[in-house]
Amino acid sequence: MTLDIRKVTAHIGAQVSGVDISEPLDGETVAALREALNVHKALVFDDVDLDDAGQQAFARHFGDLTTAHPTVPAVEGAANVLPVDSEQGSASHWHTDVTFVLNPPQASTLRSITLPPYGGETLITNSAAAYRSLPDPLRHLADTLWAEHTNDYDYAVPAEDIDEKKAAQRAQFTSIKYRTAHPVVRVHPLTGERGLFIGGFAQRIVGLSVTESRTLLDLLQSYVVKPEHILRHRWSPNQLVLFDNRITQHYAVDNYDRQARRLHRVTVAGDIPVGIEGKESYSVEGDASHYTSVAA
């Protein structure tokens, strides 16, 4: 097979063809896909012939799999597959997957199952491009900062929109409370790139008040979500998107009038983030060993 990798935007995204990801991949092909992921941050595969087992098998080429989620149930019979279903709400919030644990996933795969007739796009942004776009004084400040990430806030269920069902969902999402301190600027272990490692689970800058933290996090996040840094992926049937969870954020656009939308997510176990001085992230609260191994 001859891989065809076509860039989609200046800063993020590539369309991949010339490979059947429903079949076992040889080492050379996996290495080429890994390199493409390093360069483009998000890879789109069209017309994939995958079920849950096939999606897990493809993701496993990149490392050990996590279970579906630290607190949210998996698809029945598929312990590594998380249903991303409009019936459970929409992740209409910029985030990097599961950063509230010590070693968040290194990569995520999303596969289209049920799509609305319009809307429902996924936005993915390049946080390395965001870091490079910071003015020098702000970049130097960011290099020194650490942020505490947690699942114990109103990310999954906004406080102003609570009903009995959503209260139960929130209770499940926070059934194990996690707090982890990560460097605001993370060094990618394969490329050496620096990226802003923040997003919705980052709730406080270590050493600052909540108010001070929010102001600073919002300022840094404004560079992450610049339109120039974003891939707006419009889903088609039988698509799979693979993205580097170490150096991206994503957002599910809630613009489909609450019609049925379902994706399946499988994530690859990650390493412990490292800042520019070589210091590793550290856990404050919560054990995620049931959810993920630690990648070397």
Side-chain angles (χ1 to χ4, degrees), residues 180-237:
T180 301
H182 293 300
V184 165
V185 178
R186 180 181 185 177
V187 179
H188 195 285
L190 300 181
T191 67
E193 285 183 288
R194 297 179 181 185
L196 289 175
F197 197 61
I198 44 178
F201 296 117
Q203 291 293 294
R204 188 179 67 85
I205 297 293
V206 175
L208 298 183
S209 70
V210 171
T211 302
E212 292 166 336
S213 297
R214 189 74 270 146
T215 299
L216 190 47
L217 287 167
D218 286 346
L219 176 59
L220 293 172
Q221 184 70 9
S222 71
Y223 289 86
V224 176
V225 299
K226 288 178 65 175
E228 292 82 1
H229 300 154
I230 294 172
L231 169 68
R232 187 180 188 105
H233 178 66
R234 187 180 300 277
W235 288 97
S236 297

Side-chain angles (χ1 to χ4, degrees), residues 260-284:
R261 177 186 185 270
R262 184 181 176 101
L263 310 175
H264 280 184
R265 188 184 86 184
V266 176
T267 53
V268 183
D271 51 306
I272 299 174
V274 175
I276 65 171
E277 296 180 345
K279 181 180 176 183
E280 291 187 338
S281 301
Y282 57 93
S283 177
V284 179

Side-chain angles (χ1 to χ4, degrees), residues 69-70 95-101 103-105 182 201 245 265 291:
H69 192 273
H95 66 288
T96 299
D97 283 337
V98 201
T99 59
F100 47 83
V101 303
N103 59 304
H182 293 300
F201 296 117
N245 197 57
R265 188 184 86 184
Y291 162 65

Side-chain angles (χ1 to χ4, degrees), residues 38-59:
N38 289 343
V39 172
H40 300 289
K41 312 301 186 272
L43 304 179
V44 180
F45 300 84
D46 290 328
D47 301 319
V48 299
D49 182 19
L50 294 174
D51 55 12
D52 287 336
Q55 184 178 357
Q56 292 170 85
F58 171 69

Side-chain angles (χ1 to χ4, degrees), residues 27-284:
E28 183 179 355
T29 301
V30 173
L33 291 176
R34 172 69 79 179
E35 177 60 23
L37 187 62
N38 289 343
V39 172
H40 300 289
K41 312 301 186 272
L43 304 179
V44 180
F45 300 84
D46 290 328
D47 301 319
V48 299
D49 182 19
L50 294 174
D51 55 12
D52 287 336
Q55 184 178 357
Q56 292 170 85
F58 171 69
R60 200 171 278 113
H61 285 103
F62 301 93
D64 293 339
L65 302 186
T66 72
T67 60
H69 192 273
T71 59
V72 179
V75 170
E76 186 174 356
N80 308 108
V81 182
L82 181 73
V84 181
D85 198 319
S86 56
E87 288 189 1
Q88 304 300 317
S90 176
S92 300
H93 197 279
W94 283 106
H95 66 288
T96 299
D97 283 337
V98 201
T99 59
F100 47 83
V101 303
L102 179 61
N103 59 304
Q106 61 165 291
S108 295
T109 66
L110 288 173
R111 177 170 60 96
S112 56
I113 306 296
T114 303
L115 299 175
Y118 52 83
E121 299 92 345
T122 296
L123 309 183
I124 309 173
T125 187
N126 182 343
S127 62
Y131 176 79
R132 292 192 297 268
S133 72
L134 292 174
D136 284 345
L138 193 51
R139 188 183 310 118
H140 294 322
L141 174 61
D143 286 342
T144 70
L145 299 176
W146 285 67
E148 190 174 279
H149 296 233
T150 182
N151 65 329
D152 189 17
Y153 78 110
D154 293 330
Y155 160 78
V157 186
E160 66 275 10
D161 195 26
I162 290 287
D163 57 22
E164 186 174 339
K165 178 182 176 182
K166 291 180 179 178
Q169 290 172 356
R170 170 165 168 72
Q172 182 180 70
F173 192 78
T174 60
S175 58
I176 304 173
K177 292 181 172 58
Y178 292 97
R179 288 188 297 143
T180 301
H182 293 300
V184 165
V185 178
R186 180 181 185 177
V187 179
H188 195 285
L190 300 181
T191 67
E193 285 183 288
R194 297 179 181 185
L196 289 175
F197 197 61
I198 44 178
F201 296 117
Q203 291 293 294
R204 188 179 67 85
I205 297 293
V206 175
L208 298 183
S209 70
V210 171
T211 302
E212 292 166 336
S213 297
R214 189 74 270 146
T215 299
L216 190 47
L217 287 167
D218 286 346
L219 176 59
L220 293 172
Q221 184 70 9
S222 71
Y223 289 86
V224 176
V225 299
K226 288 178 65 175
E228 292 82 1
H229 300 154
I230 294 172
L231 169 68
R232 187 180 188 105
H233 178 66
R234 187 180 300 277
W235 288 97
S236 297
N238 303 314
Q239 277 189 327
L240 181 138
V241 174
L242 166 68
F243 56 89
D244 191 330
N245 197 57
R246 295 180 284 209
I247 204 156
T248 61
Q249 291 182 32
H250 55 284
Y251 182 110
V253 183
D254 186 1
N255 61 350
Y256 48 97
D257 292 328
R258 311 312 302 157
Q259 299 179 87
R261 177 186 185 270
R262 184 181 176 101
L263 310 175
H264 280 184
R265 188 184 86 184
V266 176
T267 53
V268 183
D271 51 306
I272 299 174
V274 175
I276 65 171
E277 296 180 345
K279 181 180 176 183
E280 291 187 338
S281 301
Y282 57 93
S283 177
V284 179

